[in-house]
């Protein structure tokens, strides 16, 4: 079975690193990006099965990256999980309109991230 | 006969005097009644009745005396006249006494009335002075929506001139239809107090007011007027917004290192570290993130302590150039990550300042880390320090080849929680670092901060600080 591909986007190197290690230890091929702009570019290139992204980042925020992902044919259906310390900053309805699969609040649990990714991918597979 | 005629004239004159005094009494009483009410009016009626009786009696007596004189009985006429004259004189004396007493009473009442009037006028003036002096706008309308009182603050707010003598409908004087509508609604609802937040544009600036509208009710409980008091809460709203932004920023900044600590600790517990070296790496990350968390909390607390004057300051003489070199070493690794070079001044003599070394080091580190943060990869940062002997101070400048700051934002960069909107995407921040610099330099060390910047070319942040007094003396000598 081919490894599932995950893209982890966060400007905090330690956060990217910990999520990446957790996912790699559990059978994912992980690519990392330091902001939304780099994430958007890499998503177009590697077409990951799942994207885990921060909300507030320099250059391009997580939300702006998702908006752009949804505009591109190759990336419009990639499930996204958002890690954020500012969940309240998401406007009503944005979760649905941008098809954000789940929000996880910081401080988060890597176990919880993995579990949410597995559930999201399972749901996507059924659909 | 001549004597007789004189006598008759006297009687008539006396009778006339009696009548006049009664009339005077009556007129006076009527005047008083106008002023003081119906009680004395009733008195006037009694006087009128007695006057009628007296006049009737005088006419009858005159007829009898005339008849006696015509019958050639002068003695009887004199006796009759004298008999008639005595009670008349008594009556006049009594009326005169009464009149004097009443005049005295009326004079006293009039003085009391004047005194009360003066007191009322003074009280009204005092009340108006208080209302006019307060900063809140106060507007009062009567039961017919006519403007009956407006203080200076309300005139300034709604840009009108209140004329006390011209009672006009409030809607003709104040053009703000939303406010007028609120006053109408409150008057109709008969509610005691209704609170609204309203926005009013003044001089191109949108101000927010806390508007309390209260109904004035008469004894029957009917609304006889409406009072509106508008308190400017624009500043409070702004502070509230800044506090919300601050909580939002700080919570994010606090949660980021906390998230790392939590995540790596869990990884260790779950045995996700594949070897001993990774375990050590994870522990080091936990340690460094805990230190970062502590620094952030200290920064917030320091600003709070400086502002409240509670911070402990330990001033000692030290060389500014050496401190700059030491501080820049702490930023070196961060600058290397972005391939940014830093030039620091060579140690010079006579640059001693009497200051809190830790605090000034914090100032230089904050300026340097900001410069690195907002300078693109491959850029350059220059630190200069100049001793101004004449001014007995030292000037430190940190110049970068960074993104720069738009002109409109430059004056706000040292404000607490302020972040340059255009640069928010360049790097994260709380908007606290430069404020801490300003507080340390200006509040703790009597110095001054400054900034110049050009978008796309870079910025220069710096500060002036007094030289150590002993040292400054040596320089000037």
């Amino acid at each position: 079975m081919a490894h599932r591909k995950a893209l982890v986007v966060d400007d905090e190197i330690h956060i990217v690193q910990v999520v990446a290690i957790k996912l790699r230890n559990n059978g994912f091929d992980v690519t990392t990006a330091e902001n939304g702009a780099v994430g958007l570019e890499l998503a177009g290139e590697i077409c990951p099965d799942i994207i885990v992204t921060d909300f507030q980042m320099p250059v391009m925020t997580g939300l702006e990256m998702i908006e752009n992902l949804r505009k591109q044919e190759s990336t419009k259906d990639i499930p996204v999980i958002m890690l954020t310390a500012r969940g309240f900053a998401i406007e009503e309805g944005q979760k649905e309109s941008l098809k954000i699969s789940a929000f996880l609040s910081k401080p988060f649990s890597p176990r919880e991230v993995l579990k949410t990714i597995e559930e999201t991918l399972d749901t996507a597979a059924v659909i | 006969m001549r004597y007789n005629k004189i006598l008759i004239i006297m009687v008539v004159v006396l009778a006339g005097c009696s009548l006049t005094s009664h009339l005077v009494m009556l007129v006076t009483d009527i005047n008083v009644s106008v002023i003081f009410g119906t009680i004395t009016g009733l008195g006037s009626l009694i006087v009128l009745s007695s006057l009628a009786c007296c006049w009737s009696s005088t006419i009858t007596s005159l007829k009898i005396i005339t008849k006696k004189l015509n019958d050639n009985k002068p003695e009887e006429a004199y006796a009759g006249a004298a008999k008639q004259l005595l009670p008349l004189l008594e009556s006049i004396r009594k009326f005169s006494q009464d009149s004097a007493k009443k005049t005295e009473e009326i004079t006293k009442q009039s003085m009391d009335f004047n005194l009360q009037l003066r007191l009322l006028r003074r009280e009204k003036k005092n009340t108006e002075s208080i209302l006019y002096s307060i900063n809140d706008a106060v507007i009062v309308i009567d039961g017919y929506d006519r403007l009956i009182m407006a203080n200076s603050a309300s005139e300034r707010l709604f840009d009108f001139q209140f004329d006390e003598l011209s009672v006009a409908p409030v809607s003709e004087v104040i053009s703000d239809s939303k406010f007028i509508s609120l006053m109408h609604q409150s008057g109709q609802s008969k509610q005691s107090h209704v609170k609204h937040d309203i926005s009013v544009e003044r001089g191109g600036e949108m101000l927010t007011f806390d508007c309390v509208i209260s109904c004035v009710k008469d004894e029957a409980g009917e609304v006889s007027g409406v009072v509106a008091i508008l308190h400017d809460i624009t500043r409070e709203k702004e502070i509230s917004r800044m506090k919300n932004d601050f909580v939002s920023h700080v919570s994010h900044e606090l949660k980021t290192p906390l998230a790392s600590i939590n995540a790596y600790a869990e990884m260790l517990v779950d045995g996700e570290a594949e070897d001993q070296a990774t375990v050590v790496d994870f522990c080091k990350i936990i340690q460094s993130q805990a230190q970062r968390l502590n620094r952030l909390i200290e920064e917030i607390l320091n600003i709070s302590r400086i502002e409240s004057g509670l911070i402990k300051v330990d001033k000692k003489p030290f060389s500014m150039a050496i401190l700059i070199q030491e501080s820049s070493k702490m930023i070196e690794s961060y600058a290397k990550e972005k391939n940014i070079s830093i030039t620091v001044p060579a140690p010079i003599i006579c640059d001693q300042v009497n200051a809190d070394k830790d605090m000034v080091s914090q100032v230089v580190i904050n300026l340097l880390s900001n410069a690195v943060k907002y300078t693109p990869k491959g850029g350059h940062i220059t630190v200069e320090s100049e001793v101004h002997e004449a001014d007995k101070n030292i000037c430190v400048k940190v110049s970068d080849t960074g993104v720069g700051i738009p002109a409109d934002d430059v004056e706000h960069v040292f404000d607490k929680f302020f972040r340059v909107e255009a640069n928010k995407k360049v790097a994260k921040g709380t908007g606290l670092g430069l404020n801490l610099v300003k507080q340390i330099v200006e509040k703790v060390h009597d110095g001054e901060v400054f900034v110049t910047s050009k978008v796309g070319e870079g910025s220069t942040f710096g500060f002036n600080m007094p030289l150590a007094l002993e040292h400054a003396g040596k320089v000037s000598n």
Side-chain angles (χ1 to χ4, degrees):
Chain A
M1 183 185 165
H3 278 184
R4 292 166 296 179
K5 288 182 284 185
L7 174 64
V8 183
V9 190
D10 200 313
D11 61 325
E12 280 295 324
I13 182 84
H14 302 306
I15 298 289
V16 170
Q17 199 179 6
V18 79
V19 176
I21 293 169
K22 184 75 182 180
L23 296 184
R24 281 187 191 120
N25 287 354
N26 288 276
F28 282 84
D29 273 343
V30 183
T31 307
T32 62
E34 66 199 61
N35 60 53
V38 178
L40 183 66
E41 196 183 324
L42 288 174
E45 284 174 18
I46 61 173
C47 285
D49 298 297
I50 188 117
I51 296 174
V52 180
T53 181
D54 185 22
F55 173 76
Q56 195 185 35
M57 287 178 289
V59 187
M60 183 185 280
T61 68
L63 216 54
E64 288 168 335
M65 181 190 75
I66 300 167
E67 281 169 352
N68 283 298
L69 284 173
R70 299 302 175 230
K71 288 176 192 165
Q72 294 174 19
E73 187 57 35
S74 61
T75 57
K76 69 180 173 65
D77 294 322
I78 300 173
V80 177
I81 291 167
M82 186 167 262
L83 298 176
T84 179
R86 306 177 73 178
F88 54 87
I90 305 290
E91 283 173 27
E92 196 67 34
Q94 262 185 325
K95 185 184 169 187
E96 287 73 25
S97 66
L98 293 174
K99 291 188 273 183
I100 299 170
S101 303
F103 285 97
L104 290 174
S105 296
K106 286 182 181 176
F108 63 92
S109 152
R111 251 180 260 147
E112 191 68 23
V113 174
L114 180 65
K115 189 179 163 210
T116 308
I117 289 172
E118 297 285 11
E119 285 171 359
T120 304
L121 289 175
D122 287 348
T123 310
V126 169
I127 293 167
Chain B
M1 276 310 282
R2 192 182 166 196
Y3 189 72
N4 289 347
K5 280 181 183 172
I6 291 166
L7 184 69
I8 291 162
I9 289 163
M10 275 178 67
V11 171
V12 172
V13 167
L14 285 167
C17 286
S18 168
L19 179 65
T20 310
S21 75
H22 274 83
L23 280 171
V24 167
M25 291 292 291
L26 177 65
V27 170
T28 312
D29 273 8
I30 288 168
N31 279 342
V32 171
S33 75
V34 167
I35 301 164
F36 296 109
T38 55
I39 296 170
T40 46
L42 195 61
S44 297
L45 284 172
I46 294 164
V47 171
L48 195 61
S49 307
S50 73
L51 174 67
C53 291
C54 190
W55 180 244
S56 167
S57 158
T58 306
I59 296 296
T60 310
S61 300
L62 273 173
K63 281 180 181 172
I64 294 165
I65 290 164
T66 309
K67 191 173 181 302
K68 296 283 182 192
L69 285 171
N70 288 340
D71 293 348
N72 284 327
K73 293 175 183 171
E75 293 81 8
E76 288 181 24
Y78 300 152
K83 196 182 170 186
Q84 187 63 41
L85 195 60
L86 283 172
L88 202 59
L89 285 170
E90 179 59 25
S91 172
I92 291 166
R93 192 187 62 78
K94 195 168 175 296
F95 279 134
S96 175
Q97 276 181 346
D98 287 351
S99 173
K101 202 177 166 185
K102 289 223 171 199
T103 307
E104 194 183 328
E105 278 176 16
I106 290 162
T107 308
K108 192 172 174 295
Q109 283 175 341
S110 172
M111 283 170 68
D112 286 351
F113 179 71
N114 279 334
L115 183 68
Q116 283 181 9
L117 197 64
R118 280 208 301 275
L119 285 171
L120 282 170
R121 278 184 182 149
R122 191 186 296 171
E123 201 174 312
K124 182 173 179 276
K125 206 175 171 187
N126 283 345
T127 311
E128 280 178 354
S129 299
I130 293 166
L131 281 172
Y132 274 76
S133 66
I134 59 174
N135 211 25
D136 290 352
V138 181
I139 291 165
V140 186
I141 59 171
D142 65 11
Y144 303 99
D145 286 346
R146 295 176 304 192
L147 185 65
I148 54 170
M149 216 292 290
N151 68 352
S152 323
S154 66
E155 290 176 329
R156 286 195 300 275
L157 175 60
F158 292 114
D159 194 22
F160 71 97
Q161 194 73 43
F162 173 59
D163 181 1
E164 202 173 346
L165 302 172
S166 148
V167 181
V170 65
S171 54
E172 288 180 11
V173 185
I174 297 173
S175 58
D176 193 307
S177 55
K178 193 184 170 194
F179 170 69
I180 299 295
S181 163
L182 285 175
M183 283 197 95
H184 282 308
Q185 283 170 17
S186 298
Q188 283 164 2
S189 70
K190 296 184 180 180
Q191 284 178 282
S192 298
H193 299 287
V194 186
K195 212 172 166 185
H196 306 271
D197 272 11
I198 66 165
S199 297
V200 180
E201 193 186 337
R202 195 172 68 188
E205 191 186 355
M206 196 54 93
L207 305 174
T208 309
F209 287 84
D210 177 25
C211 175
V212 178
I213 302 179
S214 316
C215 289
V216 182
K217 291 179 184 171
D218 60 19
E219 288 168 354
E222 291 301 315
V223 175
S224 59
V226 178
V227 181
I229 301 171
L230 295 101
H231 177 64
D232 189 348
I233 53 165
T234 312
R235 180 73 186 139
E236 283 91 330
K237 284 267 177 190
E238 178 64 10
I239 289 170
S240 172
R241 189 192 61 75
M242 285 166 73
K243 275 185 181 169
N244 287 340
D245 282 356
F246 168 71
V247 171
S248 171
H249 279 300
V250 168
S251 68
H252 184 268
E253 291 299 307
L254 291 174
K255 279 185 174 183
T256 301
L258 196 62
S260 291
I261 293 168
N262 188 64
Y264 283 95
E266 189 191 288
M267 294 287 274
L268 287 172
V269 171
D270 287 358
E272 299 278 4
E274 57 189 12
D275 51 33
Q276 189 56 32
T278 311
V279 170
V280 173
D281 281 348
F282 284 6
C283 289
K284 279 183 179 173
I285 291 168
I286 290 169
Q287 191 181 24
S288 73
Q289 293 301 300
Q291 285 165 353
R292 177 179 163 184
L293 196 58
N294 186 52
R295 275 199 306 276
L296 188 65
I297 292 166
E298 277 299 315
E299 202 167 66
I300 296 165
L301 286 176
N302 278 341
I303 289 178
S304 170
R305 282 183 199 134
I306 293 171
E307 281 186 337
S308 60
L310 294 173
I311 197 156
K312 195 181 165 193
V313 182
D314 183 20
K315 288 187 181 178
K316 283 175 187 161
F318 61 85
S319 161
M320 185 63 85
I322 292 171
L323 178 125
I324 291 169
Q325 287 187 337
E326 289 170 359
S327 304
S328 68
K329 279 181 187 159
M330 299 172 80
I331 299 295
E332 255 176 21
S333 61
Y334 180 29
K336 267 185 189 168
E337 282 176 23
K338 293 180 76 175
N339 193 26
I340 292 170
S341 57
I342 302 177
T343 306
V344 294
I348 52 169
I349 54 165
C350 309
D351 73 337
Q352 299 256 314
V353 290
N354 188 36
D356 187 304
K357 198 173 176 182
D358 290 343
M359 284 193 190
V360 179
S361 175
Q362 179 76 66
V363 166
V364 177
I365 288 170
N366 281 12
L367 293 181
L368 279 170
S369 64
N370 254 18
V372 175
K373 201 190 277 188
Y374 294 101
T375 298
K377 284 176 181 171
H380 185 72
I381 295 166
T382 309
V383 189
E384 297 167 276
S385 81
E386 292 169 9
V387 172
H388 297 148
E389 293 181 15
D391 298 332
K392 296 184 176 66
N393 71 11
I394 186 162
C395 176
V396 177
K397 290 179 189 171
V398 178
S399 307
D400 63 51
T401 55
V403 290
I405 301 158
D408 289 346
D409 291 333
V410 168
E411 61 178 308
H412 299 293
V413 290
F414 289 104
D415 293 353
K416 200 191 294 177
F417 317 131
F418 180 82
R419 295 210 61 218
V420 177
E421 194 62 40
N423 296 346
K424 273 185 180 175
K425 287 185 174 180
V426 179
K428 283 183 179 180
T430 54
L432 289 174
L434 284 176
N435 183 256
L436 185 59
V437 166
K438 185 181 168 75
Q439 303 271 4
I440 292 173
V441 171
E442 297 189 351
K443 275 207 163 187
V444 184
H445 293 95
D446 298 323
E448 195 182 11
V449 294
F450 59 86
V451 56
T452 55
S453 187
K454 203 162 184 186
V455 174
E457 293 186 12
S459 308
T460 298
F461 283 83
F463 61 89
N464 293 304
M465 195 175 274
L467 288 166
L469 277 180
E470 191 187 335
H471 181 71
K474 280 180 191 170
V475 170
S476 59
N477 288 337

